[in-house]
Amino acid sequence: MTDTRLIHGFHAITAKLRHAADDVKEITVAEGRQDGRMRELLKLAEAHGVRVILSDAKRLDGLAGGTQHQGVVAKVAAQAKHVTLDDVLDGLTEPPLLLVLDGVTDPHNLGACLRVADAAGAHAVVTPKDKACGLNATVIKVASGAADTVPYIVVTNLARSLREMQERGIWVIGAAGEADKELYAIDQKGPCAWVLGAEGAGMRRLTRETCDELAKIPMHGSVESLNVSVSAGICLFEARRQRGR
């Protein structure tokens, strides 16, 4: 089992340098690229003593596995310090605000959800081990740095983890289009966790049954559902609105 992995793209690598520079082993960059973004990245790498390797486009393409790399690929530590939900909750000085994802396996959606969670000040993103794609290079790139700022917690049994949240006084709210109550009618000023499923399939049955209550986002147009990251943003920012600044 390797102790390193590859990430790519300016946002992901810059965020890693700023938040966890010790995890960055080396950075491979495109030869001859000297624009502002590259100069900023190289300056940051130099400040943290990170080795930089110049390379041609073909090698960069191979490192990135055919995905868009923007001319930068970094080798980083494979696994950050393991953080549990209890670690997160025990360190809070305000009511917890959590995002729980059930069945979100698309890396672009997961990355966007992490970015939304960071923007809304969510304290963690929780996913089941068997229904998530994990923090791969695409997720980290799409997250634009949020993969290093928002705790990403993988649990073996999601329903059990939801019950453990409830035992700690966290109100578990499931987003469901068929719910009778709209999200704006729910008090979210206290500890709460929003649970969202993948677009279309939604939450699994046991996940839905474990929620304290279900709520819907009112739809006023012709579409029946929203992308999961958009839904997550609406739910989390409503919680923030209710809590005030």
Side-chain angles (χ1 to χ4, degrees):
M1 181 176 176
T2 181
D3 59 352
T4 61
R5 59 188 171 88
L6 296 175
I7 63 174
H8 46 76
F10 282 101
H11 278 302
I13 296 173
T14 299
K16 180 64 78 172
L17 284 170
R18 287 176 176 162
H19 298 292
D22 290 344
D23 287 347
V24 184
K25 308 305 178 184
E26 63 184 31
I27 303 173
T28 303
V29 303
E31 291 180 296
R33 181 164 179 175
Q34 292 295 326
D35 56 88
R37 298 179 79 185
M38 183 63 79
R39 288 196 299 271
E40 180 184 357
L41 179 68
L42 294 177
K43 184 177 179 181
L44 198 57
E46 182 181 8
H48 290 290
V50 176
R51 179 189 181 203
V52 174
I53 302 169
L54 299 179
S55 178
D56 57 31
K58 184 176 181 181
R59 181 165 186 267
L60 282 166
D61 290 343
L63 288 173
T67 58
Q68 293 294 321
H69 50 71
Q70 300 178 312
V72 287
V73 177
K75 182 185 292 185
V76 302
Q79 183 63 51
K81 177 181 179 295
H82 179 68
V83 177
T84 67
L85 185 57
D86 283 334
D87 291 333
V88 172
L89 297 177
D90 290 343
L92 296 181
T93 57
E94 64 173 336
L97 176 59
L98 307 174
L99 175 62
V100 181
L101 301 175
D102 184 28
V104 178
T105 57
D106 182 273
H108 292 88
N109 283 341
L110 180 55
C113 284
L114 282 165
R115 190 171 183 176
V116 165
D118 175 88
H123 300 113
V125 172
V126 181
T127 66
K129 184 178 181 180
D130 62 340
K131 286 291 180 178
C133 58
L135 290 182
N136 60 32
T138 300
V139 172
I140 293 169
K141 180 182 178 183
V142 174
S144 298
D148 289 306
T149 58
V150 180
Y152 179 75
I153 299 170
V154 179
V155 298
T156 304
N157 187 310
L158 186 58
R160 183 173 62 207
S161 295
L162 293 178
R163 289 192 292 271
E164 290 171 353
M165 292 178 198
Q166 291 164 333
E167 290 171 0
R168 294 196 58 149
I170 297 173
W171 193 248
V172 178
I173 312 163
E178 71 277 9
D180 295 326
K181 187 182 293 187
E182 294 185 358
L183 80 159
Y184 305 114
I186 296 175
D187 185 353
Q188 301 172 52
K189 293 186 286 294
C192 67
W194 271 102
V195 186
L196 281 75
E199 183 178 357
M203 296 176 287
R204 289 176 290 179
R205 180 187 59 80
L206 186 55
T207 303
R208 181 189 305 265
E209 292 175 353
T210 308
C211 293
D212 290 303
E213 65 179 328
L214 302 178
K216 65 182 178 183
I217 298 172
M219 305 293 287
H220 302 287
S222 58
V223 298
E224 296 182 355
S225 63
L226 297 170
N227 177 274
V228 63
S229 64
V230 175
S231 298
I234 293 170
C235 297
L236 294 175
F237 274 98
E238 171 58 15
R240 278 295 169 197
R241 185 195 68 80
Q242 291 188 21
R243 295 174 183 206
R245 290 175 182 251

